[in-house]
Amino acid sequence: MILSKSAIWILCVLLVVSIFMANLLNIIATDHNFYIENENEGINFTKYLGEKYVKITDTTKNLIWFLQISDIHISIFRDPGRISQFQQFCDNTVKTINPAIVLATGDLTDAKAKDNLGSSQVKTEWVYYHNIIKESGVTDATVWLDIRGNHDNFNIRTINAQENYFRNYSVQGQEHAKSYMHIVDQNGIKAAFLGIDACPDPGLRRPFNFIGILDITEQQIIQKLKAEAETKADHIVWFGHYPTSCILPLKDESPWLDLRQLIGSSHGSQVYVCGHLHSMGGLVPKMYTKQKKGYLELELGDWKDNRMYRLGAIDHGQFSFVDQKHNVWPLVLITNPKHATYIMPGREPLHLVPKSTHIRILAFSDVTIKSVEMTFDQISWMKCRLTKAPLYVCNWLPYLFTKGIHHMYVKVTDDLGREANIDHPFTLDGSLMNFEISARILLMLDAGIVFQAIFGTLLLVNVLPLVVLRLQKYPPRYRRRFGRQVLRRIWLLSKIDRIFYPIVLYAVYLPFGPWAIGELIDSHIGAIFAWGILIKGSFLPEPFTYMYGSVQLMFVQIPLIFVLAHCLEHRLFGQNVRGIRRLIKNLPFVFLLSIQLLLAYFFWLEYGTTCFIFGPLRTWSIALSILLWYKTLNLPLEYCRNLIKLNDMPS
C-alpha cells in the first residue's frame, strides 16, 4: 500500500512529537532512584544519621523548625496590606511559632514605578522593610536570613552602588553582600542554611532581569560555602530567590558550576527552597519536585498577592514542610511519619520510621490549642498528648502499615473553635507518589533553553511557510475551503518581492542584530540582542530576551503575514469597496497596529526615550508594518493583473 504525502507528513510529525515527549518525560521524571545509584554513600550517610538520632520517640530533642517567606514586594504605590500584614507576620506569627530561623527569599521590595512598568530602587520601601523588622524585635527572638531577589536588583549599576539599599536596610546585607551561610547547632541538630544570591551584576531594569546568573566568582564562593557546610553540619538547607530552572551559570571559564549537581553532591543536602515564580499566578500552588539527585526543590507562593509562608522542620534527620496562608490557624505539620510524596531515600534515616514509637505532630495557634486528634480510619479518633509545645505525640504500631500508601487523618482545634483537618499519606516501604507535572516542568527544565526553543520555533513559523510557498509554482491544495483560501492568499503574498523580502529579512535580523540601544541602567548605555545584553563592557547572557522577542513574533510578525494577505485580497478583488466597508476591511491592520503601538509604549516606559528611538524590535517594526501595508494596498496594476492570473491557475 502506497502512503500519500499527507500520511507521510503526519507520520513524521507524530515521530517528532513522540521523541520530544519521551525526552521531556525523561527530564522531568522524579522516580529516578538516587539511592540505588549512590547506594554505598547513601547507606553510610543514613547509617550515620541513624546512629546520631537512634530512635524516634516522644522526646522534643533532635527537632528544629524554621519559617520561609518570599516575594514580599513592599510597595509605596499599591496594596498597603502587604506592609501592614507583613508587620503582623513579624509581630505575631513569627513570635507564635518561635522558629530557629526565618528565611526571606528575595523580592523584599517591589521597586516598580507607579505605572507598574518602570523599575528602580525606592528607598522608602526599604525603610519600611527595615523598620518593620527592627520595631517588631523579631531578630531578638530568632535569626532572620534575607537574600536579594531580582526586584531588589533593578537598576543597580554594581553591588557596591549607593542605590543597592539591600546593603544598609536588610538584616544580612551589611555582613553578606551576596551568597552566605549560617550554621544552626540547636537541640541536637546541626544544620547549615546556605543562601544563593544569583542576581546579575549589573542589575538591569525590568523585564530583562528575570533569569539569575552565577558568575565565576560567585560559583567559587558557593563551592567553598558548601565545603564548609559539609564539615560543620549534618544537614544543608539551601535557599535563594530563583528556582534552579531560572539560574544560568556563566561558562566563560571551565569548569563551570552545575548548581543542581552541586546541591545534590552532598548527602547532607535535603532541600532547596525558593520563590520568584509566584506559583504562576496561583495556577501551580504546589510547585514542588524532587530533582534527579534526590533532594527536594520547593517554590513558595508569594506574600505579594497570596500572603503565603512556609513552615519547615527537621525531626530526627527527616525534613518536612507545610505551606500556609497568613492568619489561618491552627498551623499543623506532621513530622513522623512524614508525607509519602516528599521522602528522600539516601538523604534521610527513613529506616527509623518503622521502628518509631510515636506519631509526631507540630501544632501552632495564636491562642491555646484545645485538642489534637488522629485516626487512620476516620472513625476511631485518638487524642494526642502534648509533650512540650508545639510537639504532640501519639503511640502507634508501625508494623500494621508496612506495605503501600496509607492515610492518617489529623484534626486540631484551638480555643476559638477553629479547626485544621489534615489528610496525610505516608509509606514505610518507599512507595512513590507523583508530583504535579506542571510543577516538574517549571522546576526541572532549563528556562533559558525553553525560551530559546520557543523563539526558534516561532522564527521558523514566521519564515519557513513563506519560503516554501514562494517555491511552489502552483497554488497550494487543501480540502477545506477556508484553509485553501488562506493558503492561496499567503502564496500570492510570497510572490511579491517588495513584501516577501522585508518580512524574511526582518525575521533573519532578529537573532543577530541589536533590538534596542539606550540606557538599560541609569547613566549607562547598553545594547539588547537576542543572545544577551552588552553593557558597561560586560556581557549578560540573559535568556529572557528570547521570550521578549517571542512576544513580538507571536503577536506582531506572524499575524502581520495574515493581515497583509487579507489586504492583498482586498487590493486584487475589492477595488469597488468604498466608505465604511473599506474601513472595516482594514480593521485587522488597525488592530495589529494598536498592539504594536501598545508594546512600543510599554517599552518606552520600561527603558526610556533613547531605547524607544533606537529600537528595531518594538519601534522600527511599526514603520515596517505601515510601509508593507501601504505597499500591499497600492500595488501597481501590472502586479495586480499578474497576481490575478496566478490566482486563477488550478491547484
Side-chain angles (χ1 to χ4, degrees), residues 510-580:
L510 290 181
F512 304 104
W515 291 356
I517 299 173
E519 283 194 9
L520 306 184
I521 303 174
D522 286 347
S523 304
H524 289 279
I525 300 295
I528 302 170
F529 295 83
W531 33 268
I533 294 168
L534 296 175
I535 187 167
K536 289 184 62 183
S538 59
F539 170 65
L540 295 179
E542 168 62 63
F544 192 73
T545 50
Y546 290 106
M547 206 62 196
Y548 202 75
S550 296
V551 171
Q552 181 76 13
L553 290 169
M554 174 72 78
F555 296 103
V556 176
Q557 300 309 128
I558 294 174
L560 178 64
I561 295 171
F562 291 94
V563 169
L564 293 178
H566 171 79
C567 293
L568 178 62
E569 183 186 43
H570 172 65
R571 171 67 177 127
L572 297 179
F573 308 110
Q575 292 89 342
N576 297 326
V577 176
R578 295 288 184 273
I580 190 68

Side-chain angles (χ1 to χ4, degrees), residues 109-268:
T109 65
D110 199 42
K112 285 162 67 174
K114 194 172 184 178
D115 58 28
N116 211 30
L117 289 169
S119 54
S120 192
Q121 297 304 304
V122 181
K123 186 176 181 179
T124 307
E125 295 175 349
W126 283 100
V127 171
Y128 271 117
Y129 175 76
H130 176 268
N131 288 345
I132 288 171
I133 292 174
K134 183 179 179 181
E135 292 169 7
S136 68
V138 68
T139 52
D140 297 329
T142 186
V143 177
W144 188 282
L145 303 180
D146 46 19
I147 202 160
R148 296 189 303 163
N150 58 313
H151 282 247
D152 307 317
N153 194 42
F154 282 156
N155 200 28
I156 292 181
R157 293 166 292 170
T158 177
I159 190 74
N160 296 315
Q162 183 179 357
E163 58 270 19
N164 181 17
Y165 298 121
F166 178 81
R167 294 186 311 155
N168 299 320
Y169 292 97
S170 69
V171 176
Q172 298 294 329
Q174 291 185 6
E175 187 174 352
H176 305 293
K178 296 199 74 176
S179 302
Y180 64 94
M181 179 182 63
H182 180 85
I183 302 287
V184 172
D185 187 350
Q186 181 178 316
N187 205 26
I189 288 181
K190 293 181 180 179
F193 289 81
L194 202 162
I196 297 175
D197 185 327
C199 290
D201 187 16
L204 303 176
R205 288 183 285 198
R206 66 188 305 269
F208 300 120
N209 203 339
F210 182 78
I211 299 294
I213 298 174
L214 291 175
D215 60 30
I216 302 301
T217 302
E218 203 63 22
Q219 292 177 36
Q220 293 171 347
I221 290 172
I222 292 169
Q223 288 172 321
K224 290 178 181 177
L225 291 173
K226 180 239 183 188
E228 183 183 353
E230 289 175 330
T231 61
K232 295 182 178 180
D234 300 318
H235 310 281
I236 305 177
V237 175
W238 300 71
F239 68 96
H241 179 66
Y242 301 90
T244 57
S245 59
C246 297
I247 296 178
L248 179 72
L250 287 179
K251 304 178 184 179
D252 296 339
E253 298 179 17
S254 183
W256 57 276
L257 176 143
D258 182 333
L259 184 58
R260 289 173 182 156
Q261 179 72 26
L262 182 72
I263 294 174
S265 63
S266 170
H267 283 274

Side-chain angles (χ1 to χ4, degrees), residues 48-49 52-53 60-64 184-191 234-235 314-317:
Y48 162 73
L49 291 181
K52 175 180 173 64
Y53 298 120
T60 56
K61 191 171 174 58
N62 300 320
L63 169 66
I64 64 167
V184 172
D185 187 350
Q186 181 178 316
N187 205 26
I189 288 181
K190 293 181 180 179
D234 300 318
H235 310 281
I314 299 174
D315 187 3
H316 288 78

Side-chain angles (χ1 to χ4, degrees), residues 438-599:
S438 54
R440 287 185 279 154
I441 288 173
L442 290 165
L443 295 178
M444 300 182 77
L445 293 181
D446 185 325
I449 292 175
V450 172
F451 294 160
Q452 289 179 32
I454 292 172
F455 179 77
T457 301
L458 290 174
L459 203 61
L460 288 175
V461 170
N462 187 62
V463 173
L464 202 57
L466 273 179
V467 173
V468 171
L469 289 172
R470 183 179 174 87
L471 295 175
Q472 287 192 10
K473 186 175 181 180
Y474 299 102
R477 292 179 293 177
Y478 194 75
R479 292 181 181 179
R480 297 187 180 276
R481 182 181 177 187
F482 177 76
R484 185 169 62 251
Q485 289 179 339
V486 171
L487 283 174
R488 277 204 174 215
R489 293 175 188 172
I490 299 174
W491 176 71
L492 289 173
L493 189 74
S494 70
K495 301 296 184 181
I496 306 174
D497 291 347
R498 64 187 68 187
I499 304 297
F500 173 80
Y501 286 112
I503 290 176
V504 171
L505 290 176
Y506 181 77
V508 171
Y509 168 84
L510 290 181
F512 304 104
W515 291 356
I517 299 173
E519 283 194 9
L520 306 184
I521 303 174
D522 286 347
S523 304
H524 289 279
I525 300 295
I528 302 170
F529 295 83
W531 33 268
I533 294 168
L534 296 175
I535 187 167
K536 289 184 62 183
S538 59
F539 170 65
L540 295 179
E542 168 62 63
F544 192 73
T545 50
Y546 290 106
M547 206 62 196
Y548 202 75
S550 296
V551 171
Q552 181 76 13
L553 290 169
M554 174 72 78
F555 296 103
V556 176
Q557 300 309 128
I558 294 174
L560 178 64
I561 295 171
F562 291 94
V563 169
L564 293 178
H566 171 79
C567 293
L568 178 62
E569 183 186 43
H570 172 65
R571 171 67 177 127
L572 297 179
F573 308 110
Q575 292 89 342
N576 297 326
V577 176
R578 295 288 184 273
I580 190 68
R581 291 184 63 191
R582 186 182 182 91
L583 177 63
I584 293 173
K585 285 285 186 181
N586 284 290
L587 278 180
F589 178 75
V590 173
F591 179 70
L592 180 64
L593 186 63
S594 301
I595 292 175
Q596 285 189 268
L597 290 171
L598 195 63
L599 290 174

Side-chain angles (χ1 to χ4, degrees), residues 344-360:
M344 293 178 280
R347 297 191 178 275
E348 301 173 304
L350 298 175
H351 62 279
L352 296 179
V353 181
K355 302 173 185 176
S356 63
T357 58
H358 290 77
I359 291 165
R360 296 165 65 86

